[in-house]
Amino acid sequence: MLLSITTITFEQGLAYALLALAVYLSFRTLNFPDLTVDGSFPLGGAVAATLMVGGTNPFVATLAAVGAGLVAGTFTGLLNTKLKINPLLSGILTMIGLYSINLAIMGRSNISLLRIDSVFDKIANVLGVSASTTLVILTFAVLVTLIIIILARFLHTNMGLAIRATGDNSQMIRGLGVDTDKTKIVGLSLSNGLVALSGALVAQDQGFTDVGMGIGMIIIGLASVIIGESLFRPKTVTWTLVSVAGGSIVYRLFVAVALRLGMAPGMLKLVTALLVIAVLAAPRYKGMWQQIVRWWRRDRA
Amino acid sequence: MLKLIGVTKWFPRGSVEKVVALNNIDFTVNPSDFITIIGSNGAGKSTLLNLIAGVYCPDSGKIMFDNKDITRLAEYRRSMYIGRVYQDPMMGTASMMSVEENMAMAMLRGRRRGLGRGVNTKLREQFREALAPLGLGLENRLKHDVGTLSGGQRQTLAIVMATISKPALLLLDEHTASLDPKTGRTILELTEQVVKQGNITTLMVTHNMEQALRLGNRLIVMDAGDIIVDLQAEQKSRLTVSDLIEQFEHASGKRFVDDSLLLRRKGED
Ligand SMILES: Nc1ncnc2c1ncn2[C@@H]1O[C@H](COP(=O)(O)OP(=O)(O)OP(=O)(O)O)[C@@H](O)[C@H]1O
Ligand SMILES: [Mg+2]
């Protein structure tokens, strides 16, 4: 039982770490609460699954999914920067539009991939091992590490600095000659490309994709980000990326334990929302709590 | 080098009313000018600088820079020529990024930003050299987030960042006003020094009349969206604060009230 909790925690934690990193990119780096995520996650699944069912190589299908995510993010960025639609609404509009697009791509509301070779099967083939959960976990671990290294490097390039400054102080970086519309679009595009990658791989891991599997993804990503940040208190960008991935694993541990303790799976989203609320509220109420403790002590003294 | 021709800017006030922030301004800045700008609250000083920087566009009139029409040019495109320091030290720097990252971004003013490393050893050395003479120890805090610096340190960094890539024009909007007197003085000295060294054309808004008289080669007084006094070096050097007040009262037809106009005769800003 302990073993199964550990396995599930790492499998899911790493699979969704990509999503968490993407949410970090939009929410924290760009300071843009991007709700496109709920649409671009199933978009990744839809594109990859549809192509794979049609006989496309799973690696190519996964890349195509990433491409679709990049386009979705670009669209949200254009809505916000060119049409001046508020960030939240821009994301919601793309997300809603994507629901229909995903359905249209898939042609029905879910697709099974059980009889089709996934990237994990292909990798197992090449390595000459059987496609086990361990292999899936290792694959995700390598991929997440790679993505963290790439992101960390990117965020320290001149373009990366400009993107971070766009979220930090856009007036200043515009004053230094940066087109902040462009940096926003690039950032949102990358973020959603990563989300779609996560969606495509999760679909292949679980053996199906569902048009509704994006619901609440943004909150799961956000939960991972803030759990990672508050638990590991990273000081640098690179460690923040590592912490966010760690946050995703911790979140999955929390979920696995809660389910094991008998929580109905349907409650998961509510509990996640409450968790996010609690973590967000904590700093605000920390002072109040200390005050209560002080009063209580003084009354007893 | 910079020319404003009949520039007018309105702002909405409430749902129907509008207020004129700049009223048909004609204004020419010559190369190497160091112009100090004074005027009461709401006179239009910040609006003037924002229009020059391209934060927003005028409702009518033209802005020319080196004989090019830049009236509608996007803010980020003109920033190639224009450095800015604001009143609020927070505004000139990115607080969640390190000192060296801020400096690196400033070095690339107006240039393409690709996938090269933002900070490298060579740049770091350059930053140390640029920061060490300031005596704030910033050269030893290159990796610290700017958010951990004091207001004076941040404003110092902001000036270095605004001028390190030698912009043609420097816009300063009460950039010492939120600092304590001593830090304000240091920042002002630094400003004079970098402006002189780089021979940068400068517009400096201040509420301190003494400062306005002492610094620069030209002084303009604004009131209610107009430039009501424009003094050249020679006239300016002979002027005292009381003369300036007299000029103001004469030109605006208002009485100078020390406090309500927030123009201070003396002392620090
Ligand atoms: N973004 C804005 N929206 C609406 N009104 C504005 C805006 N900016 C300035 N104004 C108005 O334009 C007029 C000129 O403002 P401006 O900020 O240029 O004055 P200022 O001379 O810089 O004053 P201060 O000394 O107080 O900084 C004021 O009446 C102000 O209320
Ligand atoms: Mg002002």
Side-chain angles (χ1 to χ4, degrees):
Chain A
M1 178 188 119
L2 206 59
L3 195 64
S4 80
I5 286 193
T6 318
T7 315
I8 287 187
T9 298
F10 277 97
E11 185 182 0
Q12 305 255 305
L14 288 167
Y16 288 89
L18 300 172
L19 170 90
L21 289 167
V23 170
Y24 167 76
L25 209 55
S26 56
F27 259 75
R28 288 289 193 253
T29 309
L30 279 178
N31 198 12
F32 190 111
D34 178 24
L35 302 192
T36 312
V37 173
D38 278 22
S40 51
F41 187 81
L43 173 68
V47 170
T50 307
L51 286 175
M52 282 164 65
V53 168
T56 309
N57 174 293
F59 288 101
V60 177
T62 305
L63 274 185
V66 173
L70 294 174
V71 173
T74 304
F75 189 75
T76 301
L78 288 173
L79 289 184
N80 174 245
T81 56
K82 303 304 174 198
L83 300 184
K84 311 284 176 220
I85 297 174
N86 135 316
L88 279 172
L89 192 53
S90 300
I92 292 175
L93 288 169
T94 311
M95 172 186 98
I96 295 295
L98 278 175
Y99 186 84
S100 302
I101 292 177
N102 293 340
L103 259 181
I105 292 174
M106 291 161 63
R108 60 199 139 156
S109 59
N110 58 67
I111 295 179
S112 166
L113 293 170
L114 283 179
R115 291 174 198 297
I116 295 169
D117 268 1
S118 68
V119 288
F120 306 107
D121 298 316
K122 292 278 182 200
I123 291 171
N125 255 339
V126 170
L127 297 178
V129 296
S130 65
S132 62
T133 310
T134 316
L135 179 90
V136 170
I137 291 177
L138 285 177
T139 308
F140 272 127
V142 170
L143 183 65
V144 169
T145 310
L146 260 177
I147 298 274
I148 287 179
I149 292 172
I150 293 171
L151 275 181
R153 290 225 136 203
F154 175 68
L155 291 175
H156 287 98
T157 62
N158 287 311
M159 192 192 289
L161 293 185
I163 289 179
R164 283 162 61 199
T166 302
D168 194 337
N169 186 346
S170 60
Q171 173 68 50
M172 179 214 83
I173 195 67
R174 257 197 308 281
L176 289 174
V178 168
D179 181 356
T180 49
D181 286 0
K182 209 164 87 187
T183 48
K184 259 192 213 173
I185 292 170
V186 170
L188 289 173
S189 177
L190 286 178
S191 169
N192 283 288
L194 210 48
V195 173
L197 175 63
S198 188
L201 293 176
V202 165
Q204 294 175 57
D205 181 24
Q206 67 192 11
F208 69 93
T209 191
D210 189 290
V211 74
M213 75 175 181
I215 299 172
M217 277 306 133
I218 184 65
I219 293 300
I220 290 175
L222 195 56
S224 310
V225 171
I226 58 186
I227 289 172
E229 283 177 344
S230 45
L231 215 55
F232 306 115
R233 304 195 176 279
K235 292 270 185 296
T236 65
V237 172
T238 308
W239 283 112
T240 310
L241 294 170
V242 176
S243 305
V244 164
S248 172
I249 296 172
V250 173
Y251 169 74
R252 288 297 158 177
L253 176 66
F254 167 83
V255 171
V257 170
L259 289 174
R260 182 68 64 175
L261 292 180
M263 183 185 75
M267 296 304 286
L268 190 56
K269 292 203 162 112
L270 175 62
V271 172
T272 305
L274 291 175
L275 180 74
V276 172
I277 292 171
V279 177
L280 289 179
R284 174 167 305 228
Y285 291 101
K286 209 154 114 197
M288 195 196 270
W289 178 244
Q290 283 161 352
Q291 188 67 46
I292 291 170
V293 173
R294 266 201 296 279
W295 281 334
W296 185 66
R297 290 225 178 99
R298 200 184 47 203
D299 284 351
R300 292 203 324 163
Chain B
M1 68 180 303
L2 179 73
K3 204 166 186 164
L4 278 72
I5 306 159
V7 167
T8 299
K9 179 72 190 171
W10 297 90
F11 281 115
R13 168 162 298 167
S15 49
V16 274
E17 246 183 300
K18 310 191 279 186
V19 358
V20 65
L22 283 182
N23 189 7
N24 197 18
I25 296 255
D26 291 307
F27 178 48
T28 304
V29 179
N30 302 309
S32 308
D33 264 351
F34 185 156
I35 305 177
T36 52
I37 304 173
I38 57 173
S40 41
N41 288 117
K45 307 180 295 291
S46 299
T47 307
L48 178 69
L49 297 199
N50 282 334
L51 279 170
I52 294 171
V55 175
Y56 31 67
C57 293
D59 294 308
S60 63
K62 271 211 296 198
I63 304 176
M64 310 287 291
F65 185 86
D66 282 345
N67 294 322
K68 276 181 306 221
D69 187 344
I70 60 163
T71 315
R72 311 251 146 225
L73 194 66
E75 181 184 3
Y76 77 90
R77 284 189 192 280
R78 10 182 142 173
S79 51
M80 200 179 303
Y81 324 104
I82 303 176
R84 283 195 89 171
V85 183
Y86 307 85
Q87 174 172 352
D88 183 354
M90 308 290 261
M91 283 189 65
T93 48
S95 60
M96 291 182 299
M97 301 175 72
S98 67
V99 172
E100 59 182 24
E101 286 171 337
N102 272 272
M103 293 283 286
M105 293 190 287
M107 292 284 285
L108 283 189
R109 169 189 299 284
R111 282 193 273 156
R112 238 185 64 79
R113 287 159 205 262
L115 294 177
R117 266 193 96 69
V119 184
N120 55 38
T121 330
K122 199 169 135 240
L123 276 175
R124 210 168 271 141
E125 205 42 54
Q126 228 175 309
F127 297 160
R128 272 206 196 93
E129 272 164 33
L131 295 173
L134 306 174
L136 291 175
L138 286 176
E139 68 279 9
N140 301 321
R141 298 183 65 175
L142 287 182
K143 291 200 181 298
H144 291 217
D145 276 359
V146 169
T148 65
L149 304 182
S150 72
Q153 287 171 326
R154 280 185 83 153
Q155 200 67 326
T156 308
L157 183 63
I159 291 183
V160 174
M161 287 171 60
T163 54
I164 195 161
S165 55
K166 304 271 183 291
L169 185 64
L170 180 63
L171 304 177
L172 307 168
D173 196 348
E174 299 184 49
H175 70 304
T176 61
S178 68
L179 306 170
D180 66 83
K182 186 163 160 291
T183 317
R185 255 195 316 271
T186 320
I187 295 280
L188 213 58
E189 276 163 24
L190 175 65
T191 311
E192 280 190 86
Q193 192 190 324
V194 292
V195 165
K196 203 169 281 166
Q197 250 169 26
N199 191 26
I200 305 171
T201 309
T202 303
L203 302 186
M204 180 177 114
V205 173
T206 174
H207 273 297
N208 182 318
M209 300 181 95
E210 262 196 332
Q211 246 178 39
L213 281 172
R214 186 165 52 80
L215 293 173
N217 68 327
R218 200 172 146 194
L219 186 155
I220 67 174
V221 182
M222 296 189 65
D223 185 56
D226 273 321
I227 295 176
I228 56 169
V229 178
D230 188 344
L231 299 170
Q232 302 295 325
E234 210 190 316
Q235 302 162 277
K236 176 170 171 290
S237 61
R238 279 188 268 112
L239 224 60
T240 63
V241 170
S242 340
D243 295 337
L244 189 56
I245 292 172
E246 204 173 294
Q247 288 244 11
F248 173 84
E249 291 185 335
H250 181 74
S252 70
K254 288 185 201 158
R255 265 191 59 70
F256 175 84
V257 191
D258 212 4
D259 236 28
S260 76
L261 283 171
L262 274 176
L263 277 167
R264 261 159 255 146
R265 287 160 172 272
K266 276 198 172 64
E268 321 303 338
D269 221 338

